[in-house]
Amino acid sequence: MAFLMSKSRAVKIPSCLSRLMLPHVPSKNKPANFAVLLWHSVGTPSIILREVTAVYGFLCPPTLTMDKANRVCNAIALFQYVASDALTRPQFLKARMVYYLFPFIMLAENNKPYEYLRLSSLGVVGALLKSEDPEVVPHLLEIEGFPFFLHALEAGSQLSKTVAVFIIHKILMDDLGLHYCCGVAERFFTIARAFQRVVEKLVAEMIERLPNEASLKLLKNMIRCYLRMCECPRVRDGLSICLPSCFKNDAISYVLHEDPIALGWVQQILFNVTSAERVRAQAAAEASERALRINLENLNIRG
């Protein structure tokens, strides 16, 4: 890819496309302005985008080969460079390039070619969020990306799930993202029940097989998402309805027995949720008491 570094005009013609999609050279051999060269070289973004969208027809029915998948993943990796660079990120967002990755994130297939596409696409979104750019979360919400990330959390491989939960947690940590997830009851319950399914399945697998570092990382990130959602008082009652059952029994203690900090997070979640239940029960009792007093007063008046 030296042609990109020395002569940006070299990528103007499609004949250079095959060289552009070769596995990219190590980062240490790239110039500091590599993302700028990619984005501002005439025709280069269009060529990369054409390469990405060319495989849409192989997604349904699923006929994608590993060679085609690798080629597209290399193209997506070039977009990741652009998404990671502060000089090119604003234009990348303005062009709404993430839109073109949603078909890969939403895939139902889990064999290697399709999983590589999903993971590469999630990597671009993860790179955007790692930048801590305040424009990223509003952009992802504006283009309705959250349902796609939630699907990847449920449908992807463990590695894809780990990237997806990183993305979801980053969105939740933004106040706008927290409001998006908790501000509408139907959306909140969709998210909470998806979390519940993921955690219960993960913990069951960890009990059946010894927990590994990757599964523990995924579980802890899921717990952190619950912790963040608990900061919204209005959804604590809802969480009490669809909290994973393993949080309330010995299963979670078994898989996290070597991580007292993560266990402490679970206890904090349970405290927050049960506090909401106590408040609700107390309010119900007070309402019943008031109703009883009114009935008694009415009987005395009639008597």
Side-chain angles (χ1 to χ4, degrees), residues 152-217:
L153 179 64
E154 287 202 84
S157 67
Q158 189 170 82
L159 191 52
S160 284
K161 290 177 189 288
T162 301
V163 181
V165 76
F166 166 80
I167 292 169
I168 290 170
H169 182 255
K170 279 286 190 181
I171 292 174
L172 280 169
M173 290 307 293
D174 187 286
D175 288 342
L176 187 64
L178 182 64
H179 177 74
Y180 173 88
C181 294
C182 301
V184 179
E186 183 179 358
R187 184 185 297 144
F188 162 75
F189 280 109
T190 298
I191 295 169
R193 294 196 188 284
F195 282 5
Q196 181 185 27
R197 290 190 293 269
V198 171
V199 170
E200 289 181 346
K201 181 180 178 182
L202 177 62
V203 170
E205 290 174 351
M206 292 170 73
I207 291 174
E208 185 177 342
R209 301 184 290 271
L210 288 176
N212 55 48
E213 185 177 348
S215 60
L216 285 169
K217 181 179 179 180

Side-chain angles (χ1 to χ4, degrees), residues 188-189 192-193 234-243 280:
F188 162 75
F189 280 109
R193 294 196 188 284
R234 63 183 296 183
V235 303
R236 290 178 183 174
D237 283 345
L239 280 176
S240 67
I241 298 171
C242 44
L243 205 64
R280 186 176 68 249

Side-chain angles (χ1 to χ4, degrees), residues 117-184:
L117 286 178
R118 175 165 38 226
L119 188 57
S120 296
S121 301
L122 289 169
V124 174
V125 181
L128 287 170
L129 288 163
K130 279 183 180 179
S131 70
E132 303 293 342
D133 187 329
E135 299 299 321
V136 172
V137 170
H139 173 76
L140 294 176
L141 296 178
E142 180 186 351
I143 63 175
E144 292 292 335
F146 199 93
F148 295 92
F149 311 141
L150 197 63
H151 171 81
L153 179 64
E154 287 202 84
S157 67
Q158 189 170 82
L159 191 52
S160 284
K161 290 177 189 288
T162 301
V163 181
V165 76
F166 166 80
I167 292 169
I168 290 170
H169 182 255
K170 279 286 190 181
I171 292 174
L172 280 169
M173 290 307 293
D174 187 286
D175 288 342
L176 187 64
L178 182 64
H179 177 74
Y180 173 88
C181 294
C182 301
V184 179

